[in-house]
Each structure stands twice: as structure tokens, then as C-alpha cells.
Amino acid sequence: MDDVTFEWLDEKQTKQNVSDLIRKAPFSTYKLHELLADADGKKQGVSLQCVYQWSKKKKKKLPSLEHLVLLAGVCNAKLDDIVAVKKDIRA
């Protein structure tokens, strides 16, 4: 799948928010991987490597929208608190 960019998405801040959410989660990265895999229902949908990469501040890719929704649900967070939008397009 090709990378898609959105001009309204503050990618840097969103990556920071994802990293912070994972690091502050009340369970280990491995347990988070298991919870995401269980929530996904595919057991292959969220790899441990992906979760580790998302937790790093200098990661290159964001989770997919599906994985962001799963991450928000498992961590009891709101998507609005994870996905950062550039302020200039909200007007």
C-alpha cells in the first residue's frame, strides 16, 4: 500500500502522541501487542515490531487508521487526543 499524506495532519505531533500513549500505557509493550492482536481478531494484524516502532519517538510510520482506533480503545483514549490536526485548517 502506498503511503498517503494528509495536509491537515500534524504528523510529528501525532507520532509523539502515539509514542506517549504507548509508553504511558499500564502494561508492557508485549502485552499491548497481545491486546491489539486480540482486538484485531486476526492475530497477525498487529506485529510486536510495529508496536515497538510506534513507541519510538523517531519512528518513520504512523499506525493505520484501523490500528489507531484499536490503540485508542485498548488504552482507553480518544482519537482526538492521539491525532493532531494543524490549527490553520480548523477555521
Side-chain angles (χ1 to χ4, degrees), residues 3-42:
D3 287 339
V4 177
T5 58
F6 299 98
E7 62 185 54
W8 50 265
L9 178 68
D10 185 338
E11 191 172 337
K12 182 178 179 180
Q13 185 59 52
T14 300
K15 287 178 180 180
Q16 182 64 49
N17 293 346
V18 169
S19 177
D20 290 347
L21 183 66
I22 291 170
R23 287 185 295 111
K24 292 176 183 175
F27 25 74
S28 69
T29 305
Y30 184 79
K31 182 63 177 175
L32 180 59
H33 150 71
E34 288 181 329
L35 291 169
L36 289 170
D38 286 345
D40 192 14
K42 299 175 190 170

Side-chain angles (χ1 to χ4, degrees), residues 36-90:
L36 289 170
D38 286 345
D40 192 14
K42 299 175 190 170
K43 292 288 186 187
Q44 305 160 6
V46 182
S47 71
L48 180 58
Q49 182 179 5
C50 282
V51 178
Y52 275 118
Q53 288 176 352
W54 300 337
S55 71
K56 302 298 179 196
K57 290 183 181 179
K58 294 188 178 188
K59 59 198 159 301
K60 295 181 180 178
K61 292 192 175 194
L62 285 167
S64 68
L65 179 57
E66 179 181 9
H67 290 150
L68 282 172
V69 171
L70 289 171
L71 184 62
V74 167
C75 292
N76 197 28
K78 296 179 183 177
L79 280 176
D80 288 352
D81 296 332
I82 301 172
V83 178
V85 177
K86 295 178 182 174
K87 295 187 187 313
D88 60 348
I89 65 132
R90 291 184 184 177

